[in-house]
Amino acid sequence: YKVLREDPGSLYHLIDLGVIFQLNAGSLIGQFGEKVTSFAAKLVKKNLIHLVGSDGHNDEKRNTKIKYAYDRIRELNPELYVNIMENSPKIIKGEKGEFLPYKDWVNVPNKKKRGFFNFFGK
């Protein structure tokens, strides 16, 4: 969803509330453009995806390519791949999944900005 791409922080809030997220396989394999593909890959890397699905309503006319999406998840985040594979049957049965903790969207260390004169020390 575009609104989540524009405000990824809302994903964290929703997950904290108990929402689980399903990624559309096409989003990860380039079916909806580079922005979506890049965003989907970051979601995978940050453990913000819990399930994988497709919008292929008729597999005779539309190849969902879901296997390619699972392969891509395994490349990007092997631990998440295993977690999805373990949780998917549980969720389908209505059981509770055990999801990986998410990772911060941006991992930037809190460094003090150093001005020109601070470079020389006090």
Side-chain angles (χ1 to χ4, degrees), residues 47-116:
N47 295 338
L48 293 167
I49 297 301
H50 306 107
L51 302 167
V52 178
S54 75
D55 61 357
H57 305 284
N58 181 343
D59 64 354
E60 291 176 11
K61 294 181 181 178
R62 188 175 191 178
N63 183 345
T64 64
K65 300 183 180 178
I66 200 164
K67 180 188 179 319
Y68 299 106
Y70 279 118
D71 290 345
R72 184 71 177 129
I73 291 169
R74 189 177 352 182
E75 288 173 19
L76 294 170
N77 188 340
E79 185 181 22
L80 180 64
Y81 171 80
V82 170
N83 186 261
I84 289 171
M85 298 307 286
E86 290 173 352
N87 280 316
S88 295
K90 292 178 185 177
I91 300 302
I92 289 169
K93 293 176 188 175
E95 299 171 5
K96 185 175 177 155
E98 296 178 28
F99 304 112
L100 298 175
Y102 53 70
K103 300 174 186 173
D104 290 338
W105 192 256
V106 180
N107 294 324
V108 179
N110 289 333
K111 291 184 178 177
K112 259 188 156 178
K113 289 187 178 181
R114 296 184 64 138
F116 178 76

Side-chain angles (χ1 to χ4, degrees), residues 1-11 35 39 43 105:
Y1 293 106
K2 183 179 178 184
V3 69
L4 295 176
R5 268 196 342 257
E6 292 173 352
D7 181 18
S10 59
L11 286 162
K35 282 184 184 178
F39 182 69
L43 294 175
W105 192 256

